[in-house]
Amino acid sequence: MKRAVILLSGGLDSATVLAIAKSQGYDCYTISFDYGQRHRAELEASARLSKSLGATEHKVINIDLTAIGGSALTDSSIDVPSQHEEGIPITYVPARNTVFMSIALGWAEVLNAQAIFVGVNAVDYSGYPDCRPDYIAAFEKMANLATKTGVEGLKLTIETPLIDLTKQAIIEKGVALGVDYGQTVSCYQADNQGRACGQCDSCRFRKQGFEKAGIEDPTPYQP
């Protein structure tokens, strides 16, 4: 069976990507990162989703990105904004996708996997530069230049099935594939029970997606 490494954050998008990869016949290996984010609820969600959506193996990699800071998600002295920001927001974590995808690339090489799936999106997204199609294409080229498998002619692809979809379309696709979005945590500052703040960019995009899809929002919100 063909193998794929799935970057699984525990959020709505990555859960949908895992379901898509499974539907395409991949043997899925999920990877999450404990990088100093504001809460552990998303890591607990990743473990639940990996199991419920039928992944073969799940890894959590520890990386302390608080050591460099520079983001509201990795520096407790910077508040998560409750209003939309123009340009690249303070919730952007410097080079996060590059770091995560590089480690996923290493595991993919060990597994002889044919693909890495990542839930980046260039439509309903928060202005992050590492979610753009040009970035993904550049990383895929680098991945095949910099690895033993690539040099030996075993091409690895970076699969981004959500890149051109609205949040509404992502939710509709996930529901059709049986994703239980009540198990996911998207909020940047969820509490220990995984309840969302309802105010951050991630919460707003998620809530709007369910509204536009006409699907009941299963997200638990903080009182």
Side-chain angles (χ1 to χ4, degrees):
M1 181 182 288
K2 57 185 180 178
R3 292 178 171 181
V5 173
I6 319 296
L7 274 76
L8 188 64
S9 70
L12 183 152
D13 291 344
S14 66
T16 308
V17 165
L18 173 54
I20 290 170
K22 285 291 293 183
S23 75
Q24 293 178 0
Y26 282 94
D27 187 13
C28 295
Y29 294 76
T30 55
I31 188 167
S32 301
F33 296 89
D34 184 352
Y35 63 95
Q37 60 266 55
R38 284 177 169 264
H39 59 78
R40 300 191 62 82
E42 67 179 33
L43 292 171
E44 295 166 2
S46 295
R48 289 194 302 269
L49 289 162
S50 182
K51 184 176 181 179
S52 67
L53 291 171
T56 300
E57 185 178 349
H58 179 63
K59 284 187 183 292
V60 178
I61 305 296
N62 294 299
I63 305 172
D64 184 14
L65 294 185
T66 65
I68 61 172
S71 168
L73 302 191
T74 54
D75 186 337
S76 59
S77 69
I78 303 173
D79 292 333
V80 173
S82 58
Q83 301 294 327
H84 179 67
E85 299 176 274
E86 295 299 325
I88 299 173
I90 195 60
T91 51
Y92 163 68
V93 179
R96 181 178 64 178
N97 279 357
T98 302
V99 172
F100 289 0
M101 288 172 63
S102 296
I103 294 173
L105 173 61
W107 196 23
E109 190 168 19
V110 170
L111 293 168
N112 290 318
Q114 292 83 9
I116 295 171
F117 279 75
V118 57
V120 295
N121 179 260
V123 180
D124 287 345
Y125 83 122
S126 298
Y128 297 159
D130 52 4
C131 288
R132 296 174 299 167
D134 287 353
Y135 165 74
I136 296 299
F139 190 94
E140 181 178 283
K141 181 177 180 180
M142 181 279 297
N144 284 288
L145 286 172
T147 56
K148 177 177 181 286
T149 52
V151 169
E152 291 177 346
L154 302 175
K155 182 174 171 58
L156 180 127
T157 62
I158 309 298
E159 301 291 338
T160 57
L162 312 184
I163 195 114
D164 295 321
L165 299 183
T166 63
K167 194 66 73 180
Q168 173 187 345
I170 293 168
I171 290 168
E172 291 170 344
K173 182 176 286 289
V175 167
L177 291 171
V179 177
D180 177 4
Y181 287 120
Q183 293 187 359
T184 64
V185 176
S186 300
C187 179
Y188 292 147
Q189 49 189 356
D191 64 14
N192 290 334
Q193 299 172 52
R195 296 179 300 182
C197 73
Q199 303 298 318
C200 66
D201 267 357
S202 186
C203 280
R204 287 197 297 272
F205 286 133
R206 179 181 170 118
K207 184 183 294 186
Q208 290 167 8
F210 280 109
E211 288 174 353
K212 290 179 180 179
I215 294 171
E216 183 178 354
D217 183 358
T219 309
Y221 289 98
Q222 298 167 25

